[in-house]
Amino acid sequence: PRQFLSKSVAALADARSVHFEADVAGQLALGLGQGASSSLDLKGTTGEGDLDLAGSKARISLKTPLLFGLTADAIAAGDAVYVRTSVGGSKYTKTTPAGGGASASPIDPKLAVAALQAEIATLPTPPTKLGDESVSGSDCYHVQATLPASALAAALGPTGLPVSGMTDGTLDVWAAKDTLRPQRLRIR
């Protein structure tokens, strides 16, 4: 199963674009200062988006019921990021991140694949092959792996999302039997 995951990730090396959908569950630990802490239940939080790896552009949408039904949309293009939230109304606000925008740090699929393969090679618990399944009409292998909290925190750190208090997660990969390209990914 470890080699399967590595080959499945390698199948993404020539990807020019990626579409993703996420359904988030679990608890998000919050440090409230002066030793106080709390956590938020992320159940029902969803996200989806499209990444243009070749053109260094992205569109991402998030929805979360835990903050009064907050929704957010972000578009990254050139050196700017355009953000719209349900709190701010229907207009986008343009921002330029420190260090530049989307074109300042293009996503190199080959470097991302190499980094993911390195993580897979060092997983403390070997991945497990589960039963084969059909996903969107493709016959797929299903493999599951435990991701250490440190690996999740390292992956999410550059996004600016809070990562303190994160626990180990589970990665499920469904990859087409004929190409090994991932058809579905789930992280819990």
Side-chain angles (χ1 to χ4, degrees):
R2 191 181 303 264
Q3 284 182 332
F4 164 83
L5 278 180
S6 185
K7 288 179 181 180
S8 185
V9 166
L12 296 174
D14 295 323
R16 297 183 55 76
S17 64
V18 174
H19 174 78
F20 70 89
E21 296 177 8
D23 185 2
V24 182
Q27 300 288 318
L28 176 63
L30 300 174
L32 302 176
Q34 299 180 355
S37 65
S38 183
S39 64
L40 294 174
D41 185 0
L42 297 174
K43 183 177 181 181
T45 300
T46 61
E48 66 97 15
D50 297 290
L51 307 176
D52 176 353
L53 304 176
S56 298
K57 298 175 188 172
R59 183 201 53 80
I60 299 172
S61 297
L62 301 170
K63 296 178 185 174
T64 182
L66 69 107
L67 297 173
F68 308 107
L70 176 71
T71 62
D73 297 303
I75 299 170
D79 289 331
V81 176
Y82 303 87
V83 178
R84 172 179 67 185
T85 67
S86 55
V87 175
S90 62
K91 293 186 179 180
Y92 282 90
T93 302
K94 179 181 177 181
T95 62
T96 303
S103 66
S105 57
I107 300 166
D108 182 338
K110 289 179 180 24
L111 290 177
V113 163
L116 284 170
Q117 287 177 315
E119 287 293 329
I120 291 167
T122 60
L123 287 174
T125 306
T128 305
K129 184 180 181 309
L130 303 176
D132 296 348
E133 299 178 36
S134 179
V135 175
S136 301
S138 294
D139 289 332
C140 294
Y141 299 115
H142 181 186
V143 173
Q144 188 176 76
T146 299
L147 299 176
S150 58
L152 290 170
L156 293 175
T159 67
L161 295 171
V163 295
S164 63
M166 189 169 278
T167 60
D168 289 354
T170 303
L171 169 68
D172 286 273
V173 177
W174 290 263
K177 288 182 175 184
D178 57 347
T179 64
L180 290 183
R181 279 190 173 260
Q183 300 298 301
R184 179 185 295 161
L185 299 170
R186 180 176 63 206
I187 298 175
R188 293 180 281 168

